[in-house]
Amino acid sequence: MSITRRCVCPGSFDPVTNGHLDVFTRAAALYDEVTIAVGVNIAKNGMFDSSERVDMLREVTAGLPGVQVVPFEGLLVDFCRARGIPVVLKGLRAAGDFDYELAMAQMNRRLSGLETVFVPTDPEHSYLSSSLVKEVAKLGGDVAGMVPDPVLARLRSRLGSDATGSDR
Ligand code: PNS
């Protein structure tokens, strides 16, 4: 009898970047089922609402085998327990991520035994974050190549066509 290997990739994904997409692609190669859990980070100001973030994620992960996108509220450990998911998979960019991610991993394990696996981010994406992408886009910088094309289009329509892709 074969066992289905499941993991969750949680985040706020406001919006999804090419760094996230790289982590999802690698997760899909390691696990049979990858659930992208779209939550709310109460410490962050959002640009896109949950359904917009879910729509963008579904569009850009449509070709990845075994990947599904699900919004969630409440504790991640409860979401995972209800779905029989034993592992959180996250990308680690640099040392700056580590303290925050380690504390969450230890808290989740303490709460329910939920384990966390970290994958090192591709160096090509190690500086990328949703927050920086939003800041640069809002101030008129070009974020093409940092986010998938459908996300770039949404940013453009949200911020006005001058907001991304300009030479400023
Ligand atoms: O992309 P982010 O903003 O780092 O995502 C953080 C997120 C949403 C994954 C995290 O805040 C989370 O898991 N929130 C759900 C509530 C919860 O379980 N909090 C305790 C985490 S140890």
Side-chain angles (χ1 to χ4, degrees), residues 26 87-92 97-98 100-106 116-121:
R26 290 157 65 192
V87 172
V88 179
L89 185 143
K90 285 200 143 188
L92 267 191
D97 279 351
F98 187 70
Y100 171 64
E101 293 296 345
L102 180 66
M104 285 204 290
Q106 290 171 325
T116 299
V117 169
F118 293 117
V119 294
T121 303

Side-chain angles (χ1 to χ4, degrees), residues 5-9 20-36 64-67 89-90 119:
R5 295 164 304 164
R6 297 191 180 101
C7 76
V8 66
C9 295
H20 295 131
L21 201 49
D22 176 57
V23 171
F24 303 150
T25 304
R26 290 157 65 192
L30 293 169
Y31 289 87
D32 303 310
E33 289 179 11
V34 177
T35 301
I36 300 172
L64 293 179
V67 172
L89 185 143
K90 285 200 143 188
V119 294

Side-chain angles (χ1 to χ4, degrees), residues 11 32 35 43 61 65 69 71-72 75 84 87 116 129 132-133 149 157 165:
D32 303 310
T35 301
T61 61
V69 182
F72 83 103
L75 286 174
V87 172
T116 299
S129 69
L132 266 185
V133 163
D149 287 345
S157 83

